């Protein structure tokens, strides 16, 4: 549980609890598999009615139709032996071989969606399209994402709106209206969501290393 909660390395845990690293690895793997088989029967995706009931005040005021906040998180991996897989998992942005997945969090902080793992060279747009998330959304919903998610056209086909924070383009300054939008966006989303994503990523990295 300490490994999943804090994401500490096996060597560190071995020193703390005076046990062999192999024992920690086997124990973590056993519990992760057990939790997966036990918890997969419980649906994580929440209904529109449930989302509205649990909607935080900041969202109710500024973004009342929000169904999910999405972002991709990356995990470093060892260099694959296959040259093809090396190329497929290489990220020039991270300068490392990685895999990544799409995570969706409800406005109140509940993790409602985790995609399968994709190779690091796959774009966020492609992951969003192939993950199955869009099929869960309903007409009238809105999705929040960072500025890197170019998925507006994919969502609008299903009657779903994309909300992203205003940002500078081509060196131009943001308008007063755009600047006014950044304050509620940061207050409602970026701060609490960043904390949640950090916790979720920590747990998932522990699972990947196990």
């Amino acid at each position: 549980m300490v490994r999943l909660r804090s994401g500490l390395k096996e060597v560190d845990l071995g020193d703390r609890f005076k046990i062999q690293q192999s024992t920690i690895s086997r124990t973590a793997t056993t519990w992760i598999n057990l939790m997966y088989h036990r918890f997969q029967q419980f649906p994580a995706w929440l209904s529109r009615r449930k989302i509205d009931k649990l909607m935080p005040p900041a969202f109710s005021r500024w973004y009342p139709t929000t169904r999910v906040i999405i972002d991709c998180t990356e995990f470093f991996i060892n260099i694959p032996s296959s040259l093809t897989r090396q190329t497929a998992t290489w990220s020039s942005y991270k300068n490392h071989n990685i895999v990544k997945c799409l995570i969706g969090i409800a406005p109140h902080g509940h993790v409602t969606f985790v995609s399968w793992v994709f190779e690091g060279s796959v774009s966020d747009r492609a992951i969003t399209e192939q993950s199955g998330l869009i099929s869960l959304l309903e007409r009238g919903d809105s999705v929040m994402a960072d500025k890197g998610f170019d998925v507006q056209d994919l969502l609008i086909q299903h009657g779903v709106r994309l909300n992203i924070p205003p940002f500078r383009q081509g060196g131009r300054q943001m308008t007063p209206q755009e600047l006014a939008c950044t304050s509620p966006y940061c207050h409602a989303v970026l701060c609490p969501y960043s904390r949640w994503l950090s916790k979720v990523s920590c747990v998932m990295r522990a699972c990947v290393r196990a």
Side-chain angles (χ1 to χ4, degrees), residues 101-165:
C101 68
L102 182 69
I103 296 178
I105 296 181
H108 65 282
H110 182 91
V111 178
T112 57
F113 184 85
V114 178
S115 74
W116 292 106
V117 173
F118 291 79
E119 294 169 326
S121 61
V122 182
S123 68
D124 293 349
R125 175 187 170 89
I127 291 177
T128 303
E129 187 174 15
Q130 299 172 30
S131 65
L133 172 70
I134 296 177
S135 64
L136 297 174
L137 299 168
E138 302 176 61
R139 184 171 295 275
D141 286 343
S142 63
V143 173
M144 281 191 165
D146 197 7
K147 62 184 181 182
F149 276 81
D150 180 25
V151 296
Q152 176 67 53
D153 58 319
L154 301 178
L155 297 176
I156 202 169
Q157 299 174 24
H158 300 268
V160 177
R161 179 182 176 183
L162 175 67
N163 286 322
I164 61 174

Side-chain angles (χ1 to χ4, degrees), residues 58 63 144 165-166 179-194:
Y63 306 101
M144 281 191 165
L179 287 171
C181 290
T182 60
S183 179
Y185 189 96
C186 290
H187 175 71
V189 180
L190 297 183
C191 292
Y193 180 69
S194 295

Side-chain angles (χ1 to χ4, degrees), residues 41-108:
Q41 60 183 307
F42 300 108
W45 188 254
L46 300 180
S47 67
R48 177 76 257 179
R49 181 179 178 182
K50 190 71 172 179
I51 292 290
D52 291 340
K53 182 179 179 180
L54 299 173
M55 187 78 70
F59 276 89
S60 296
R61 179 182 180 186
W62 296 103
Y63 306 101
T65 61
T66 302
R67 187 69 176 271
V68 66
I69 308 160
I70 61 173
D71 198 5
C72 280
T73 187
E74 303 91 5
F75 310 97
F76 285 12
I77 60 173
N78 294 327
I79 300 176
S81 57
S82 166
L83 292 177
T84 301
R85 299 304 292 271
Q86 287 182 30
T87 302
T89 58
W90 177 257
S91 169
S92 56
Y93 177 70
K94 295 291 185 179
N95 198 32
H96 205 283
N97 293 93
I98 64 170
V99 293
K100 57 185 182 179
C101 68
L102 182 69
I103 296 178
I105 296 181
H108 65 282

